[in-house]
Amino acid sequence: MKKYAICFFLTISITIVCLILVVLKPSPTLKLTTVKKAYSYVSCYQEEERIQVDILINDLNNSITNKEKYSSLSISDKTHHNELVLNLEKVIYRGENVTINQESFYQYSYYFTVLFKTEDKFLLEIEDAYLCMNYRNMDINLAIGSFSYYKVPYFGDDKAHISISKLQPIVNDLEEEKILVGVVMGITNQTNQPITIEKITALDLNLQFFSADFMVIEEEVFSNSNISTLLGKNYSLHGTKDNNEGVLLVIPSNTKVDYLLPIKYHGAFKTNKMGFLIEYKIGEEQNTLYYDEFLFFTTKTKNLSIGEVLTYEK
């Protein structure tokens, strides 16, 4: 009997010690990061914009994914001089993990709405943007890449003179990644008069359409076609910010024309999604067409470059 009592006492003692060790064990250090990339959004004046940022977190069950724990959220530059206030709608676990420095990180998608409406044209372009979050009185400033945000009066052509009848990406393997190097854009003149396209602007701060190399496409091309072959000369991926000079592309009445619009990058990030603006003239009348951001191709988190890992003590 005494022997059983000793065994029982030892079992209870060991259990209590283990519980104490678990309670006193320091919480793992919170680490988070993201894939830095180009974020580009276009919306109408009173339209509510939604933004998704995927964040990698080293703790699968951390309260940092609880939206009620945040007191303030924004997209900002480093100095907070340019800032866009956000509201966190929801956080979803994506069921994927990425290994960084031999440690598992779990992918969560944070969905925000932008708390901003306007009655006039507005743009916010931040080359080095941060997702700023106050989490339980702890400031987290996560570098997310570039941020381009545009408010426009309408989508399409309010005069119905022209329409976009085709958008096809030209994607090449360059610099060890798939890069959008051009767009085949079909433009239809819906009037009985010739229309002159004067300028086509990409709504993303990292790039411009290179107007000097615009060309008509008369035969079918594939999305993986070599851009240099299409242009008939060597293509250079990088350019300067003054590439997008005015153009004079004349589209006859009631005619559709497909144009190849090569892209030059002058910013730090490549893009797979953007909107654009077309400025054109019919007779002496100046007009514009705005197009919502268009997703040209998708990417996988594991195939992209991971940014700096931020470390916070709980």
Side-chain angles (χ1 to χ4, degrees), residues 8-280:
F8 178 77
F9 176 76
L10 287 174
T11 302
I12 294 297
S13 299
I14 291 170
T15 302
I16 292 172
V17 170
C18 290
L19 289 172
I20 291 173
L21 289 175
V22 169
V23 171
L24 294 180
K25 180 182 177 182
S27 298
T29 301
L30 173 64
K31 298 178 183 178
L32 63 159
T33 187
T34 189
V35 174
K36 294 175 70 174
K37 64 178 187 178
Y39 289 86
S40 180
Y41 297 92
V42 187
S43 60
C44 294
Y45 291 163
Q46 295 300 309
E47 184 177 285
E48 190 173 65
E49 185 67 81
R50 286 175 169 80
I51 293 173
Q52 175 186 341
V53 180
D54 292 335
I55 299 178
L56 299 167
I57 304 172
N58 70 326
D59 191 338
L60 191 57
N61 300 303
N62 197 280
S63 63
I64 194 171
T65 61
N66 183 348
K67 70 174 188 176
E68 306 301 329
K69 301 294 184 181
Y70 293 91
S71 59
S72 66
L73 299 140
S74 66
I75 297 286
S76 175
D77 59 15
K78 198 167 186 177
T79 63
H80 296 276
H81 288 159
N82 297 295
E83 192 167 37
L84 198 63
V85 178
L86 306 176
N87 176 62
L88 180 57
E89 282 194 337
K90 59 184 177 180
V91 181
I92 295 178
Y93 173 51
R94 284 301 175 191
E96 296 184 16
N97 68 292
V98 176
T99 301
I100 305 173
N101 298 328
Q102 300 182 333
E103 184 176 5
S104 291
F105 283 72
Y106 306 93
Q107 183 176 343
Y108 291 86
S109 291
Y110 281 62
Y111 292 90
F112 305 94
T113 50
V114 178
L115 302 179
F116 177 80
K117 292 180 181 180
T118 182
E119 296 292 341
D120 202 354
K121 294 178 185 178
F122 173 83
L123 69 86
L124 177 65
E125 295 180 334
I126 305 175
E127 293 183 359
D128 191 11
Y130 291 80
L131 175 60
C132 302
M133 306 182 288
N134 186 276
Y135 164 70
R136 297 173 67 175
N137 296 320
M138 177 171 63
D139 289 326
I140 297 174
N141 297 311
L142 186 64
I144 61 171
S146 67
F147 188 79
S148 305
Y149 181 74
Y150 308 88
K151 299 295 279 186
V152 299
Y154 51 81
F155 285 131
D157 175 10
D158 66 336
K159 303 294 179 60
H161 292 150
I162 63 174
S163 64
I164 303 303
S165 50
K166 181 177 184 177
L167 282 176
Q168 178 187 357
I170 303 298
V171 181
N172 286 183
D173 289 313
L174 298 170
E175 300 179 355
E176 300 183 349
E177 63 176 315
K178 292 187 180 298
I179 296 177
L180 181 68
V181 296
V183 173
V184 176
M185 181 183 292
I187 305 177
T188 300
N189 179 352
Q190 300 175 147
T191 75
N192 294 319
Q193 304 179 60
I195 283 178
T196 301
I197 305 297
E198 297 186 321
K199 197 171 185 179
I200 305 177
T201 303
L203 298 180
D204 186 292
L205 66 86
N206 294 284
L207 62 101
Q208 288 180 320
F209 293 122
F210 189 50
S211 58
D213 283 341
F214 284 5
M215 61 183 292
V216 175
I217 297 293
E218 297 180 339
E219 299 180 359
E220 181 183 3
V221 298
F222 298 100
S223 290
N224 62 351
S225 299
N226 184 283
I227 187 69
S228 295
T229 302
L230 293 175
L231 292 173
K233 62 180 181 180
N234 288 333
Y235 167 80
S236 176
L237 182 64
H238 301 286
T240 56
K241 208 167 183 177
D242 59 355
N243 284 331
N244 191 18
E245 301 295 335
V247 295
L248 293 176
L249 306 175
V250 179
I251 305 177
S253 62
N254 299 302
T255 302
K256 172 195 169 186
V257 181
D258 291 345
Y259 294 101
L260 172 62
L261 314 179
I263 288 172
K264 296 282 189 182
Y265 288 91
H266 53 258
F269 300 98
K270 310 304 184 292
T271 189
N272 63 340
K273 183 184 76 167
M274 62 180 167
F276 48 84
L277 163 66
I278 298 178
E279 299 171 59
Y280 70 93

